Amino acid sequence: MKRLAVYCGSASPADPRYVELAQTVGASLAARGIGVVYGGGRLGLMGAVASGALAAGGEVIGVIPEALVSGEVANHDCTELIVVADMHQRKAAFTRLSDGFLTIPGGVGTMDELWEAVSWAQLGYHAKPVGLLNAFGFYDHLIAFNQQMIATGFIRPAHQGILIAEAELDLLLTRMAAHEPHTPIFAMKSSEL
């Protein structure tokens, strides 16, 4: 994996562990020679991931919608800052520029990005690993919900392993690097659906 799209919040929670985690993730990726592709902001966990990676000498590519650049939230310290027209172009760029997706804690936008990466993998728009860092148990309920979708039959057996969740970054990155693509819906016969 040469680059990972890192999905996370643009907010800074009161609990300092979250910002520290984001900085550590950025620095850890840089130490492994993995570039960061992220939302291009300088605020919250997004900014912390970028600053952690940059401080460790890593590559950071920010992808930000034009409307957010004018709001003075763009991080001009990035190795490269790509300005796009809208959120759809932003997410398409994340997919095009990265070799996988790493989600750390975040809010609604983070969930949108995570589930799109999972959905696109399921369909066959990409065959890249989708990782979820469950730091501090933040995603316990989301992982349980994913298991409920599997148990109920809304996630097919072939797609049950798309979401790779771990509490430790090293283990998560190891599992993501060992990712084996599954059979996407686009390649399945109607009898398999």
Side-chain angles (χ1 to χ4, degrees):
M1 298 182 295
K2 293 180 181 177
R3 290 184 186 144
L4 287 178
V6 179
Y7 296 148
C8 60
S10 60
S12 296
D15 185 339
R17 295 181 304 168
Y18 291 100
V19 171
E20 291 167 9
L21 171 73
Q23 290 171 333
T24 299
V25 166
S28 296
L29 292 176
R32 289 173 174 81
I34 300 173
V36 170
V37 180
Y38 87 115
R42 60 179 175 78
L43 305 176
L45 271 63
M46 286 175 40
V49 166
S51 66
L54 289 167
E59 175 193 45
V60 176
I61 299 174
V63 184
I64 191 166
E66 189 172 0
L68 292 177
V69 173
S70 60
E72 297 184 4
V73 298
N75 185 353
H76 295 282
D77 293 332
C78 294
T79 308
E80 181 180 0
L81 184 63
I82 300 170
V83 179
V84 295
D86 55 36
M87 295 298 282
H88 297 293
Q89 289 182 10
R90 179 194 226 181
K91 290 188 288 184
F94 288 152
T95 302
R96 184 180 71 253
L97 295 168
S98 69
D99 300 311
F101 308 89
L102 172 61
T103 300
I104 67 173
V108 174
T110 305
M111 292 300 91
D112 173 53
E113 292 163 343
L114 169 66
W115 288 117
E116 183 169 282
V118 171
S119 176
W120 284 18
Q122 181 176 278
L123 290 167
Y125 286 115
H126 72 77
K128 302 171 183 182
V130 181
L132 180 71
L133 184 59
N134 187 27
F136 322 122
F138 184 81
Y139 286 120
D140 285 350
H141 295 290
L142 185 140
I143 293 167
F145 178 61
N146 192 63
Q147 289 301 316
Q148 180 180 348
M149 290 189 290
I150 290 169
T152 306
F154 285 111
I155 297 178
R156 294 170 180 87
H159 306 134
Q160 292 176 6
I162 290 175
L163 184 63
I164 304 167
E166 291 292 345
E168 299 294 330
L169 181 62
D170 287 338
L171 181 55
L172 179 59
L173 292 174
T174 298
R175 288 190 59 206
M176 289 175 70
H179 167 72
E180 294 282 336
H182 59 279
T183 303
I185 288 175
F186 292 157
M188 292 179 154
K189 298 176 185 173
S190 61
S191 61
E192 297 173 301
L193 300 172

